[in-house]
Amino acid sequence: MNLPLFLSKKIYSDKSDKQKVSRPAIRIATIGVAIGLAVMIITVSVVIGFKHTIRDKVIGFGSHIQVTNFMTMQNTDPYPICIDDSLMKVLGDSEGVARVGRYSLTQGILKTDTDFLGITFKGIGPEYSTSFLANNLTNGQCPVFSDLKSSNRILISQMIADKLRLKVGDKVFAYFVSEDEVRARRFTISGIYKTNMTQFDSNICFADIYTINKLNGWQNDFCTGAELIIDDFTKIEETADGIVSQINKKPDCNGNILTSQTIYEAYPQIFSWLELLDVNVWIILALMVCVAGFTMISGLLIIILERTQMIGTLKALGASNSTIRRTFLWFAVFIIGRGLIFGNIIGIGLVLIQIHTGFVKLDPSTYYVNMAPMEINIPLIIIINAATLLICVFVLIAPSYLISHIHPARSMKYE
Protein backbone atom coordinates (compact mmCIF):
# COMPACT_ATOMS: atom_id res chain seq x y z
CA MET A 1 0.00 0.00 0.00
CA ASN A 2 1.17 3.51 -0.80
CA LEU A 3 1.07 5.04 2.69
CA PRO A 4 1.62 8.72 1.64
CA LEU A 5 -1.19 8.46 -0.93
CA PHE A 6 -3.53 6.81 1.60
CA LEU A 7 -2.84 9.45 4.26
CA SER A 8 -3.23 12.32 1.81
CA LYS A 9 -6.65 11.02 0.73
CA LYS A 10 -7.73 10.86 4.38
CA ILE A 11 -6.54 14.40 5.05
CA TYR A 12 -8.17 15.74 1.89
CA SER A 13 -11.51 14.07 2.64
CA ASP A 14 -11.50 15.16 6.29
CA LYS A 15 -14.50 17.51 6.73
CA SER A 16 -14.05 17.91 10.46
CA ASP A 17 -14.99 21.28 11.93
CA LYS A 18 -11.68 21.25 13.77
CA GLN A 19 -9.90 22.25 10.59
CA LYS A 20 -11.29 25.79 10.57
CA VAL A 21 -8.18 27.35 9.04
CA SER A 22 -7.09 24.76 6.49
CA ARG A 23 -10.46 24.49 4.72
CA PRO A 24 -10.50 28.18 3.62
CA ALA A 25 -6.81 27.85 2.73
CA ILE A 26 -7.60 24.86 0.52
CA ARG A 27 -10.44 26.76 -1.16
CA ILE A 28 -8.22 29.78 -1.79
CA ALA A 29 -5.46 27.58 -3.23
CA THR A 30 -7.98 25.78 -5.45
CA ILE A 31 -9.44 29.08 -6.67
CA GLY A 32 -5.95 30.47 -7.32
CA VAL A 33 -5.03 27.48 -9.49
CA ALA A 34 -8.40 27.57 -11.29
CA ILE A 35 -8.22 31.28 -12.08
CA GLY A 36 -4.59 31.05 -13.16
CA LEU A 37 -5.29 28.15 -15.52
CA ALA A 38 -8.45 29.78 -16.91
CA VAL A 39 -6.55 32.98 -17.70
CA MET A 40 -3.76 30.98 -19.37
CA ILE A 41 -6.23 29.02 -21.53
CA ILE A 42 -8.09 32.18 -22.56
CA THR A 43 -4.85 34.05 -23.30
CA VAL A 44 -3.41 31.28 -25.44
CA SER A 45 -6.74 30.79 -27.25
CA VAL A 46 -7.02 34.51 -28.04
CA VAL A 47 -3.45 34.83 -29.28
CA ILE A 48 -3.62 31.68 -31.43
CA GLY A 49 -7.00 32.70 -32.82
CA PHE A 50 -5.83 36.23 -33.53
CA LYS A 51 -2.60 35.13 -35.20
CA HIS A 52 -4.34 32.57 -37.38
CA THR A 53 -7.12 35.00 -38.34
CA ILE A 54 -4.70 37.73 -39.41
CA ARG A 55 -2.43 35.19 -41.12
CA ASP A 56 -5.32 33.75 -43.09
CA LYS A 57 -6.39 37.22 -44.22
CA VAL A 58 -2.90 38.07 -45.45
CA ILE A 59 -2.68 34.71 -47.21
CA GLY A 60 -6.10 35.36 -48.75
CA PHE A 61 -4.63 38.36 -50.54
CA GLY A 62 -1.15 37.02 -51.24
CA SER A 63 -1.26 33.19 -50.98
CA HIS A 64 1.51 31.14 -49.35
CA ILE A 65 4.15 31.50 -52.08
CA GLN A 66 4.41 33.94 -54.98
CA VAL A 67 6.31 33.43 -58.22
CA THR A 68 7.11 36.69 -60.03
CA ASN A 69 9.56 38.42 -62.31
CA PHE A 70 12.88 39.15 -60.58
CA MET A 71 12.56 42.81 -61.62
CA THR A 72 9.23 43.09 -59.79
CA MET A 73 11.07 42.40 -56.52
CA GLN A 74 13.38 45.33 -57.21
CA ASN A 75 10.74 47.88 -58.29
CA THR A 76 7.18 48.87 -57.57
CA ASP A 77 6.17 48.45 -61.21
CA PRO A 78 4.78 45.03 -62.21
CA TYR A 79 7.05 43.36 -64.77
CA PRO A 80 5.40 40.48 -66.66
CA ILE A 81 6.45 36.87 -66.82
CA CYS A 82 5.25 34.14 -69.14
CA ILE A 83 3.44 31.37 -67.26
CA ASP A 84 2.29 28.94 -69.92
CA ASP A 85 0.65 25.55 -69.44
CA SER A 86 3.98 23.76 -69.02
CA LEU A 87 5.15 26.07 -66.22
CA MET A 88 1.73 25.88 -64.57
CA LYS A 89 2.08 22.07 -64.57
CA VAL A 90 5.58 22.27 -63.06
CA LEU A 91 4.34 24.54 -60.26
CA GLY A 92 1.17 22.53 -59.69
CA ASP A 93 3.06 19.23 -59.48
CA SER A 94 5.56 20.56 -56.94
CA GLU A 95 5.51 18.72 -53.63
CA GLY A 96 3.16 20.33 -51.12
CA VAL A 97 1.43 22.63 -53.63
CA ALA A 98 -2.37 22.32 -53.68
CA ARG A 99 -3.35 25.06 -56.13
CA VAL A 100 -1.76 27.56 -58.54
CA GLY A 101 -3.44 30.74 -59.73
CA ARG A 102 -2.10 33.41 -62.08
CA TYR A 103 -2.71 37.11 -61.43
CA SER A 104 -1.97 40.44 -63.10
CA LEU A 105 -1.75 43.90 -61.53
CA THR A 106 -2.23 47.39 -62.85
CA GLN A 107 -2.85 50.82 -61.36
CA GLY A 108 -5.99 52.78 -62.14
CA ILE A 109 -8.45 55.39 -60.95
CA LEU A 110 -12.09 54.74 -60.09
CA LYS A 111 -14.16 57.87 -60.72
CA THR A 112 -17.73 58.76 -59.86
CA ASP A 113 -19.57 62.02 -60.52
CA THR A 114 -18.40 63.46 -57.21
CA ASP A 115 -15.15 61.72 -56.31
CA PHE A 116 -12.25 59.58 -57.49
CA LEU A 117 -9.81 57.13 -55.94
CA GLY A 118 -6.55 55.58 -57.09
CA ILE A 119 -6.50 51.81 -56.57
CA THR A 120 -4.76 48.62 -57.65
CA PHE A 121 -6.65 46.34 -60.02
CA LYS A 122 -5.85 42.68 -59.49
CA GLY A 123 -6.81 40.47 -62.40
CA ILE A 124 -7.46 36.81 -61.67
CA GLY A 125 -8.56 33.86 -63.77
CA PRO A 126 -10.83 30.81 -63.38
CA GLU A 127 -8.10 28.72 -61.70
CA TYR A 128 -7.72 31.30 -58.91
CA SER A 129 -9.32 30.32 -55.58
CA THR A 130 -12.03 32.83 -54.64
CA SER A 131 -13.12 31.09 -51.41
CA PHE A 132 -11.45 33.76 -49.26
CA LEU A 133 -13.25 36.56 -51.11
CA ALA A 134 -16.57 34.69 -50.98
CA ASN A 135 -16.24 34.20 -47.21
CA ASN A 136 -15.69 37.93 -46.70
CA LEU A 137 -18.48 39.25 -48.94
CA THR A 138 -20.81 41.79 -47.34
CA ASN A 139 -23.03 42.26 -50.39
CA GLY A 140 -23.45 40.90 -53.89
CA GLN A 141 -21.48 37.97 -55.23
CA CYS A 142 -18.09 37.10 -56.67
CA PRO A 143 -18.10 37.47 -60.47
CA VAL A 144 -16.98 34.57 -62.64
CA PHE A 145 -13.44 35.62 -63.52
CA SER A 146 -12.21 34.68 -66.98
CA ASP A 147 -8.92 34.60 -68.87
CA LEU A 148 -10.61 34.47 -72.30
CA LYS A 149 -12.99 37.44 -72.28
CA SER A 150 -13.95 40.43 -70.20
CA SER A 151 -17.12 40.49 -68.14
CA ASN A 152 -16.51 44.12 -67.09
CA ARG A 153 -17.51 43.19 -63.55
CA ILE A 154 -15.36 43.98 -60.52
CA LEU A 155 -15.25 43.17 -56.83
CA ILE A 156 -14.45 46.13 -54.56
CA SER A 157 -13.96 46.49 -50.81
CA GLN A 158 -16.44 48.04 -48.40
CA MET A 159 -13.91 50.79 -47.70
CA ILE A 160 -13.71 51.75 -51.38
CA ALA A 161 -17.50 51.52 -51.71
CA ASP A 162 -17.98 53.87 -48.74
CA LYS A 163 -15.46 56.42 -50.04
CA LEU A 164 -17.00 56.53 -53.52
CA ARG A 165 -20.61 55.94 -52.36
CA LEU A 166 -20.95 52.83 -54.52
CA LYS A 167 -23.21 49.83 -54.11
CA VAL A 168 -23.74 46.50 -55.85
CA GLY A 169 -25.08 46.97 -59.35
CA ASP A 170 -23.66 50.47 -59.81
CA LYS A 171 -21.62 51.24 -62.91
CA VAL A 172 -18.36 53.12 -62.49
CA PHE A 173 -15.68 54.36 -64.86
CA ALA A 174 -12.04 53.41 -64.38
CA TYR A 175 -9.17 55.29 -65.99
CA PHE A 176 -5.74 53.83 -66.71
CA VAL A 177 -2.82 56.11 -67.46
CA SER A 178 0.08 54.83 -69.55
CA GLU A 179 3.04 56.70 -71.02
CA ASP A 180 1.21 57.98 -74.08
CA GLU A 181 -2.51 57.64 -73.45
CA VAL A 182 -5.38 57.42 -70.99
CA ARG A 183 -7.76 54.51 -71.39
CA ALA A 184 -11.21 54.22 -69.84
CA ARG A 185 -13.25 51.18 -68.93
CA ARG A 186 -16.77 50.98 -67.55
CA PHE A 187 -17.24 48.36 -64.86
CA THR A 188 -20.26 47.04 -62.96
CA ILE A 189 -19.94 46.44 -59.21
CA SER A 190 -20.65 42.73 -58.78
CA GLY A 191 -19.85 42.39 -55.09
CA ILE A 192 -18.40 44.12 -52.04
CA TYR A 193 -16.00 42.44 -49.59
CA LYS A 194 -14.70 43.45 -46.18
CA THR A 195 -11.70 41.96 -44.38
CA ASN A 196 -10.89 44.88 -42.03
CA MET A 197 -7.28 44.71 -43.26
CA THR A 198 -6.85 48.38 -44.13
CA GLN A 199 -3.61 47.78 -46.00
CA PHE A 200 -5.52 45.72 -48.57
CA ASP A 201 -9.11 46.94 -48.33
CA SER A 202 -8.12 50.52 -49.06
CA ASN A 203 -6.67 49.93 -52.51
CA ILE A 204 -7.39 46.50 -54.06
CA CYS A 205 -10.26 45.52 -56.32
CA PHE A 206 -10.57 42.33 -58.37
CA ALA A 207 -11.30 41.97 -62.09
CA ASP A 208 -10.75 39.51 -64.95
CA ILE A 209 -7.12 38.73 -65.71
CA TYR A 210 -8.04 39.03 -69.40
CA THR A 211 -9.05 42.69 -68.89
CA ILE A 212 -5.94 43.59 -66.90
CA ASN A 213 -3.65 41.93 -69.46
CA LYS A 214 -5.28 43.92 -72.24
CA LEU A 215 -4.84 47.14 -70.29
CA ASN A 216 -1.17 46.30 -69.70
CA GLY A 217 -0.69 45.35 -73.37
CA TRP A 218 0.33 41.81 -72.46
CA GLN A 219 -0.32 38.55 -74.26
CA ASN A 220 -2.62 35.92 -72.76
CA ASP A 221 0.24 33.83 -71.31
CA PHE A 222 1.71 36.86 -69.57
CA CYS A 223 0.90 37.89 -66.01
CA THR A 224 2.42 39.62 -63.00
CA GLY A 225 2.93 36.30 -61.25
CA ALA A 226 1.47 33.12 -59.86
CA GLU A 227 0.19 32.50 -56.34
CA LEU A 228 0.65 29.06 -54.83
CA ILE A 229 -1.59 27.61 -52.12
CA ILE A 230 0.09 24.80 -50.17
CA ASP A 231 -1.38 21.82 -48.29
CA ASP A 232 0.34 22.35 -44.93
CA PHE A 233 1.28 25.82 -43.69
CA THR A 234 3.76 24.35 -41.19
CA LYS A 235 5.79 23.06 -44.17
CA ILE A 236 5.88 26.37 -46.04
CA GLU A 237 9.66 26.64 -45.85
CA GLU A 238 10.18 23.12 -47.20
CA THR A 239 7.74 23.71 -50.04
CA ALA A 240 9.32 27.09 -50.79
CA ASP A 241 12.77 25.49 -50.98
CA GLY A 242 11.43 23.03 -53.54
CA ILE A 243 10.02 25.90 -55.63
CA VAL A 244 13.32 27.77 -55.38
CA SER A 245 15.27 24.79 -56.69
CA GLN A 246 12.94 24.51 -59.68
CA ILE A 247 12.39 28.08 -60.87
CA ASN A 248 14.53 30.65 -59.04
CA LYS A 249 16.92 32.56 -61.30
CA LYS A 250 15.71 30.55 -64.29
CA PRO A 251 14.22 32.19 -67.40
CA ASP A 252 10.66 31.83 -68.58
CA CYS A 253 9.76 31.21 -72.24
CA ASN A 254 10.64 34.84 -73.07
CA GLY A 255 13.87 35.07 -71.09
CA ASN A 256 12.46 36.86 -68.02
CA ILE A 257 14.16 35.74 -64.80
CA LEU A 258 11.82 34.02 -62.34
CA THR A 259 11.98 34.27 -58.58
CA SER A 260 9.78 33.33 -55.64
CA GLN A 261 9.01 34.51 -52.13
CA THR A 262 6.94 33.26 -49.21
CA ILE A 263 4.19 35.24 -47.54
CA TYR A 264 6.63 35.89 -44.68
CA GLU A 265 9.02 37.60 -47.08
CA ALA A 266 6.26 39.52 -48.86
CA TYR A 267 4.81 41.00 -45.64
CA PRO A 268 7.56 40.79 -43.01
CA GLN A 269 6.21 43.68 -40.92
CA ILE A 270 2.86 41.96 -40.32
CA PHE A 271 4.36 38.63 -39.29
CA SER A 272 7.00 40.33 -37.11
CA TRP A 273 4.18 42.10 -35.31
CA LEU A 274 2.34 38.80 -34.82
CA GLU A 275 5.48 37.17 -33.41
CA LEU A 276 5.69 39.91 -30.77
CA LEU A 277 2.41 38.63 -29.35
CA ASP A 278 4.23 35.47 -28.23
CA VAL A 279 6.25 37.56 -25.77
CA ASN A 280 3.02 38.77 -24.13
CA VAL A 281 1.79 35.19 -23.88
CA TRP A 282 4.94 34.00 -22.11
CA ILE A 283 4.73 36.90 -19.65
CA ILE A 284 1.09 36.14 -18.82
CA LEU A 285 1.79 32.40 -18.49
CA ALA A 286 4.69 33.08 -16.13
CA LEU A 287 2.62 35.47 -13.99
CA MET A 288 -0.32 33.06 -13.74
CA VAL A 289 1.94 30.13 -12.81
CA CYS A 290 3.52 32.33 -10.12
CA VAL A 291 0.06 33.21 -8.76
CA ALA A 292 -0.92 29.54 -8.65
CA GLY A 293 2.42 28.57 -7.12
CA PHE A 294 2.33 31.20 -4.36
CA THR A 295 -1.27 30.38 -3.40
CA MET A 296 -0.31 26.71 -3.18
CA ILE A 297 2.77 27.47 -1.06
CA SER A 298 0.76 29.57 1.40
CA GLY A 299 -1.98 26.94 1.53
CA LEU A 300 0.47 24.10 2.12
CA LEU A 301 2.26 26.00 4.92
CA ILE A 302 -1.05 26.66 6.67
CA ILE A 303 -2.05 23.01 6.36
CA ILE A 304 1.32 21.77 7.64
CA LEU A 305 1.22 24.11 10.66
CA GLU A 306 -2.36 23.09 11.46
CA ARG A 307 -1.44 19.40 11.16
CA THR A 308 1.58 19.70 13.46
CA GLN A 309 0.17 17.29 16.03
CA MET A 310 -0.66 14.72 13.36
CA ILE A 311 2.86 15.03 11.97
CA GLY A 312 4.31 14.56 15.44
CA THR A 313 2.18 11.45 15.97
CA LEU A 314 3.27 9.95 12.64
CA LYS A 315 6.91 10.62 13.49
CA ALA A 316 6.47 8.99 16.91
CA LEU A 317 5.04 5.94 15.13
CA GLY A 318 8.15 5.71 12.97
CA ALA A 319 7.16 7.61 9.81
CA SER A 320 10.13 9.25 8.12
CA ASN A 321 10.28 12.89 7.06
CA SER A 322 10.29 11.72 3.44
CA THR A 323 7.04 9.79 3.92
CA ILE A 324 5.32 12.76 5.53
CA ARG A 325 6.64 15.16 2.85
CA ARG A 326 5.27 12.90 0.12
CA THR A 327 1.96 12.75 1.99
CA PHE A 328 1.55 16.50 1.85
CA LEU A 329 2.80 16.68 -1.74
CA TRP A 330 0.12 14.16 -2.71
CA PHE A 331 -2.35 16.29 -0.78
CA ALA A 332 -1.22 19.30 -2.84
CA VAL A 333 -1.71 17.29 -6.05
CA PHE A 334 -5.35 16.73 -5.09
CA ILE A 335 -5.84 20.47 -4.54
CA ILE A 336 -4.08 21.37 -7.78
CA GLY A 337 -6.00 18.69 -9.68
CA ARG A 338 -9.32 20.06 -8.49
CA GLY A 339 -8.21 23.58 -9.41
CA LEU A 340 -7.21 22.36 -12.87
CA ILE A 341 -10.64 20.80 -13.39
CA PHE A 342 -12.45 24.02 -12.51
CA GLY A 343 -9.92 26.08 -14.46
CA ASN A 344 -10.50 24.01 -17.60
CA ILE A 345 -14.26 24.28 -17.24
CA ILE A 346 -14.11 28.06 -16.81
CA GLY A 347 -11.43 28.74 -19.44
CA ILE A 348 -12.69 26.41 -22.18
CA GLY A 349 -16.28 27.38 -21.42
CA LEU A 350 -15.60 31.09 -21.91
CA VAL A 351 -13.64 30.39 -25.09
CA LEU A 352 -16.50 28.32 -26.53
CA ILE A 353 -19.01 31.04 -25.63
CA GLN A 354 -16.89 33.63 -27.44
CA ILE A 355 -16.45 31.38 -30.48
CA HIS A 356 -20.20 30.79 -30.83
CA THR A 357 -21.54 34.20 -29.77
CA GLY A 358 -18.70 36.71 -30.32
CA PHE A 359 -19.85 38.77 -27.32
CA VAL A 360 -16.42 40.42 -26.91
CA LYS A 361 -16.22 43.07 -29.63
CA LEU A 362 -13.08 44.83 -30.91
CA ASP A 363 -12.40 47.93 -32.95
CA PRO A 364 -11.59 46.62 -36.47
CA SER A 365 -9.65 49.78 -37.34
CA THR A 366 -7.13 48.89 -34.63
CA TYR A 367 -7.24 45.09 -34.38
CA TYR A 368 -8.29 44.16 -37.97
CA VAL A 369 -11.16 42.05 -36.57
CA ASN A 370 -14.57 43.08 -35.22
CA MET A 371 -14.62 40.51 -32.41
CA ALA A 372 -12.02 38.73 -30.32
CA PRO A 373 -11.01 35.62 -32.32
CA MET A 374 -10.40 32.51 -30.25
CA GLU A 375 -9.24 29.03 -31.15
CA ILE A 376 -9.10 25.92 -28.97
CA ASN A 377 -5.85 23.98 -29.27
CA ILE A 378 -6.32 20.74 -27.31
CA PRO A 379 -2.64 19.59 -27.34
CA LEU A 380 -1.51 22.99 -26.08
CA ILE A 381 -4.16 23.03 -23.34
CA ILE A 382 -2.98 19.59 -22.21
CA ILE A 383 0.62 20.88 -22.10
CA ILE A 384 -0.46 23.92 -20.05
CA ASN A 385 -2.29 21.66 -17.58
CA ALA A 386 0.67 19.32 -17.24
CA ALA A 387 3.17 22.18 -16.90
CA THR A 388 1.04 23.91 -14.25
CA LEU A 389 0.76 20.70 -12.23
CA LEU A 390 4.48 19.91 -12.44
CA ILE A 391 5.64 23.47 -11.68
CA CYS A 392 3.26 23.87 -8.72
CA VAL A 393 4.35 20.53 -7.23
CA PHE A 394 8.00 21.40 -7.81
CA VAL A 395 7.78 24.74 -5.99
CA LEU A 396 6.13 22.95 -3.05
CA ILE A 397 9.10 20.63 -2.49
CA ALA A 398 11.10 23.26 -0.58
CA PRO A 399 8.24 24.29 1.79
CA SER A 400 7.55 20.62 2.49
CA TYR A 401 10.99 20.40 4.21
CA LEU A 402 9.45 22.43 7.05
CA ILE A 403 8.22 19.05 8.28
CA SER A 404 11.77 18.03 9.23
CA HIS A 405 11.80 20.83 11.85
CA ILE A 406 8.74 19.51 13.65
CA HIS A 407 9.78 17.56 16.78
CA PRO A 408 7.41 14.79 17.94
CA ALA A 409 7.68 15.57 21.65
CA ARG A 410 7.07 19.32 21.22
CA SER A 411 4.23 18.85 18.79
CA MET A 412 2.39 16.33 20.95
CA LYS A 413 2.76 17.88 24.42
CA TYR A 414 -0.38 19.98 23.98
CA GLU A 415 -2.49 16.94 23.07
Side-chain angles (χ1 to χ4, degrees), residues 243-301:
I243 299 298
V244 167
S245 64
Q246 292 186 77
I247 61 98
N248 267 32
K249 297 182 180 179
K250 295 180 180 178
D252 62 8
C253 58
N254 286 326
N256 299 304
I257 302 301
L258 301 175
T259 188
S260 65
Q261 64 177 354
T262 66
I263 195 68
Y264 289 114
E265 296 166 332
Y267 302 101
Q269 68 281 5
I270 294 178
F271 287 96
S272 296
W273 168 58
L274 292 177
E275 289 177 1
L276 289 176
L277 297 177
D278 294 336
V279 177
N280 298 333
V281 173
W282 283 112
I283 292 174
I284 293 174
L285 292 180
L287 290 175
M288 290 301 101
V289 169
C290 288
V291 169
F294 282 125
T295 55
M296 284 303 305
I297 289 173
S298 59
L300 183 64
L301 291 176

Side-chain angles (χ1 to χ4, degrees), residues 364-400:
S365 63
T366 302
Y367 297 100
Y368 306 120
V369 288
N370 53 15
M371 65 180 185
M374 292 190 180
E375 182 177 324
I376 293 180
N377 188 311
I378 298 299
L380 194 54
I381 291 176
I382 293 174
I383 292 174
I384 292 174
N385 276 266
T388 302
L389 176 62
L390 293 175
I391 292 174
C392 287
V393 172
F394 179 78
V395 298
L396 292 176
I397 293 176
S400 69

Side-chain angles (χ1 to χ4, degrees), residues 196-210:
N196 294 315
M197 295 289 290
T198 306
Q199 179 177 348
F200 304 105
D201 286 6
S202 62
N203 64 356
I204 293 182
C205 76
F206 295 85
D208 296 305
I209 191 172
Y210 176 87

Side-chain angles (χ1 to χ4, degrees), residues 34-248:
I35 292 176
L37 181 66
V39 171
M40 287 189 283
I41 290 174
I42 293 172
T43 301
V44 171
S45 299
V46 169
V47 171
I48 292 177
F50 185 77
K51 290 177 68 174
H52 286 179
T53 299
I54 300 301
R55 184 195 71 188
D56 291 344
K57 289 185 177 184
V58 177
I59 291 172
F61 282 103
S63 74
H64 296 104
I65 302 172
Q66 298 176 1
V67 176
T68 60
N69 190 319
F70 178 77
M71 292 300 297
T72 301
M73 298 289 189
Q74 314 301 318
N75 300 274
T76 56
D77 298 329
Y79 287 83
I81 55 175
C82 177
I83 299 186
D84 51 19
D85 293 340
S86 61
L87 184 53
M88 284 285 287
K89 187 176 188 320
V90 169
L91 295 174
D93 291 341
S94 299
E95 186 177 354
V97 175
R99 193 182 187 111
V100 181
R102 294 173 300 149
Y103 70 95
S104 292
L105 300 176
T106 193
Q107 303 296 321
I109 298 173
L110 283 181
K111 186 180 185 306
T112 63
D113 294 336
T114 58
D115 210 345
F116 65 92
L117 183 66
I119 61 174
T120 298
F121 286 79
K122 184 172 184 177
I124 56 180
E127 77 278 3
Y128 196 96
S129 175
T130 58
S131 58
F132 169 75
L133 297 174
N135 291 335
N136 287 278
L137 281 179
T138 59
N139 203 356
Q141 60 184 3
C142 281
V144 178
F145 297 108
S146 174
D147 57 355
L148 298 176
K149 61 179 181 178
S150 176
S151 66
N152 290 323
R153 301 177 72 84
I154 59 174
L155 187 69
I156 65 173
S157 70
Q158 187 68 58
M159 185 176 294
I160 295 174
D162 292 341
K163 288 181 179 179
L164 298 179
R165 299 184 181 89
L166 294 172
K167 61 182 182 299
V168 172
D170 285 351
K171 298 185 184 300
V172 61
F173 279 98
Y175 297 89
F176 304 89
V177 181
S178 60
E179 294 180 357
D180 53 356
E181 62 178 340
V182 176
R183 284 172 290 181
R185 291 288 188 279
R186 193 185 188 198
F187 293 104
T188 300
I189 307 300
S190 176
I192 298 174
Y193 71 88
K194 182 179 181 182
T195 67
N196 294 315
M197 295 289 290
T198 306
Q199 179 177 348
F200 304 105
D201 286 6
S202 62
N203 64 356
I204 293 182
C205 76
F206 295 85
D208 296 305
I209 191 172
Y210 176 87
T211 303
I212 304 305
N213 280 348
K214 289 297 181 184
L215 290 168
N216 286 334
W218 297 346
Q219 301 173 17
N220 287 341
D221 286 341
F222 278 63
C223 59
T224 301
E227 294 183 347
L228 282 60
I229 302 295
I230 66 174
D231 295 314
D232 187 354
F233 185 81
T234 60
K235 297 181 180 179
I236 186 171
E237 296 298 336
E238 298 175 21
T239 306
D241 290 341
I243 299 298
V244 167
S245 64
Q246 292 186 77
I247 61 98
N248 267 32

